[in-house]
Amino acid sequence: MKIGMGTRQDVGGVSVPVDHLIGGSWVSSPQRFETRSPMGWEHLADIARGDDATADAAVAAAVEGFEAWSAFSVGERADALHRLADLIEARNDDIALVETLDMGFLYESMKQRLVARGALNFRTYADLITEHENSTWDAKSMRNQVQRMPAGPAVVITPWNAPFMLSTWKLAPALAAGNSVIHKPAEWSPLSAALLAELTLEAGFPPGAYNLVQGIGEEVGAALVADPRVRRITFTGSPETARHIGRAAAANIVPFTAELGGKGPFVVFADADLDAAAHRAAWQFDDSGQVCLAGTRLLVAAEIRDEFLERFHHHADALVLGDPRDPATDIAPLAHPDHRDRVHGFVERAREAGDIVVRGGQPIDGSLHYQPTLIEPVSNDSEVVQREIFGPVLTLQTFADEAEAIALANSTDYGLSAQIWTASQSRAERVGAAVRAGLVWVNTFLVRDLTAPFGGCGISGIGREGGDYALDFHSDIKTLMILDDTTK
């Protein structure tokens, strides 16, 4: 490994570091991997490809960095997080452009929502740690106080969809709690993480508090999660990868959280505002369906099926597929050719199984766009109903009554999110309580308090993120008990 100023490459006019950040220095690797843009599959950059030696160096740096960062007072850590948020806001356009080129996210959405949300994630946790008060009570002549202690180096593994926002969502509580971090972004969209790494240096984080390791998950990621010096692991990705990480975490008795996607039910009752529900249903195609929270299973009361479908088609027909840099574009390309082929494989197998492709169902020649697709399955056991596709593919099923709606909603192994559309407050509360999901929206979508718990049931995940739930995970919890002896 070679340590120095680091290699930089031009990405859409933005200078981006393409090495690892370890112990406050840019570190290269002898091997590299390329990242390409979903728009035309053009080459963007060649990124350092980490290996076992890289992982070892990063964890060693995080161990040293933990001593410095955990010694910061709560106020000092909060100030550093606010400085980082300021820098993110100042680089909004650059971050948005690089992520649009690297992953294909809509540029206007990145600028207006997701980069700002990244800054807000750091501000939220800066405020939470400064506002926190240790729980204290008296019992059995003892004064009891529950304290949080920083846990140690944390490995943070983030996904390729919305990588900047989801990285900040995981990094903010880990850093706020006083842990050093080793951040491993997904190899399909690694560039915005490099810009974030650069900003941590500008924000004055001590060397080793934040470390960035680029590379292939099966290589450097596997080495990171297996290192016994790591004291926390948090991951967003597939259940298959989580099983490997979970085994490594268990071997070292390391707490592990995972957010693993979903197969969200989108339940529409006959008394719902059908146009609002149909419009929102069509917008489940947002980001080409590469959203874990999307309501991909449309469950519609049988008596309104035809009217709902007519309205759904009207709204879906209005969606514009195009270049994500164009403000007129609604639907961007899929992130990678391998993923396009995976999505199309689900649709082809559904056809072979006799499921009815109501609309779409084909890739668009010469691009990574995929037609917004709706499938009516012949059975609730159909693969397209039971497995996460993570593309612009929805299914449509009907139900006869509330009991059947709940049964269908709960009929997969997943349980990340759900949507219920109804005009009845009592039904909303009744069905909302019966649906097994970590998050249930009623008559809305993607509106959330960042201090609320977030996570899934079943194979959608382990543990909860958000607010104090994430801070508790990234801490070792201590109970201090002092004898209340008033005679001394």
Side-chain angles (χ1 to χ4, degrees), residues 265-286:
F266 187 107
V267 186
V268 184
F269 288 96
D271 63 348
D273 181 333
L274 288 192
D275 197 62
H279 181 261
R280 184 56 68 184
W283 273 100
Q284 304 306 296
F285 293 128
D286 185 35

Side-chain angles (χ1 to χ4, degrees), residues 59-60 138 280 296 361 406:
V59 177
D138 294 327
R280 184 56 68 184
T296 57
I406 293 169

Side-chain angles (χ1 to χ4, degrees), residues 11 34-45 97-105 188 191 323-325 333-337 367-368:
V11 178
E34 66 176 10
T35 183
R36 291 179 170 269
S37 176
M39 288 89 76
W41 203 233
E42 62 190 34
H43 177 270
L44 291 177
L97 177 60
V98 167
E99 184 140 309
T100 294
L101 292 172
D102 199 23
M103 185 263 160
F105 215 102
W188 282 3
L191 295 179
D323 189 317
R325 292 167 292 190
L334 291 167
H336 196 280
S367 77
L368 291 180

Side-chain angles (χ1 to χ4, degrees), residues 101-117:
L101 292 172
D102 199 23
M103 185 263 160
F105 215 102
L106 296 178
Y107 179 58
E108 290 300 319
S109 183
M110 279 296 305
K111 282 205 311 179
Q112 296 174 20
R113 294 192 301 113
L114 295 187
V115 178
R117 165 68 189 277

Side-chain angles (χ1 to χ4, degrees), residues 237-262:
S238 71
E240 292 75 22
T241 301
R243 291 185 178 100
H244 292 291
I245 296 174
R247 284 190 285 269
N252 293 320
I253 319 296
V254 177
F256 168 48
T257 62
E259 192 269 279
L260 307 175

Side-chain angles (χ1 to χ4, degrees), residues 170-241:
K170 285 185 171 292
L171 291 165
L175 289 164
N179 297 337
S180 57
V181 298
I182 308 106
H183 180 199
K184 163 60 179 73
E187 53 265 33
W188 282 3
S189 53
L191 295 179
S192 61
L195 293 178
L196 179 62
E198 189 171 48
L199 296 183
T200 66
L201 296 178
E202 293 184 38
F205 283 57
Y210 172 90
N211 303 274
L212 173 69
V213 172
Q214 302 278 21
I216 310 303
E218 295 87 341
E219 298 171 357
V220 71
L224 287 171
V225 299
D227 195 305
R229 294 171 291 181
V230 169
R231 298 317 308 150
R232 290 294 186 274
I233 300 171
T234 179
F235 168 73
T236 295
S238 71
E240 292 75 22
T241 301

Side-chain angles (χ1 to χ4, degrees), residues 299-374:
L299 307 177
V300 179
E303 63 265 37
I304 59 167
R305 183 258 185 204
D306 292 345
E307 183 180 356
F308 174 85
L309 190 56
E310 180 181 354
R311 292 172 183 266
F312 172 82
H313 284 313
H314 170 75
H315 291 296
D317 288 343
L319 297 174
V320 177
L321 279 67
D323 189 317
R325 292 167 292 190
D326 184 344
T329 296
D330 297 313
I331 306 294
L334 291 167
H336 196 280
D338 291 349
H339 189 52
R340 175 200 57 201
D341 295 345
R342 179 181 180 273
V343 169
H344 190 51
F346 274 100
V347 176
E348 288 294 279
R349 291 191 297 275
R351 285 192 176 99
E352 294 168 2
D355 295 337
I356 300 169
V357 179
V358 177
R359 67 175 295 140
Q362 293 293 339
I364 296 176
D365 291 341
S367 77
L368 291 180
H369 281 97
Y370 198 90
Q371 295 175 341
T373 299
L374 180 66

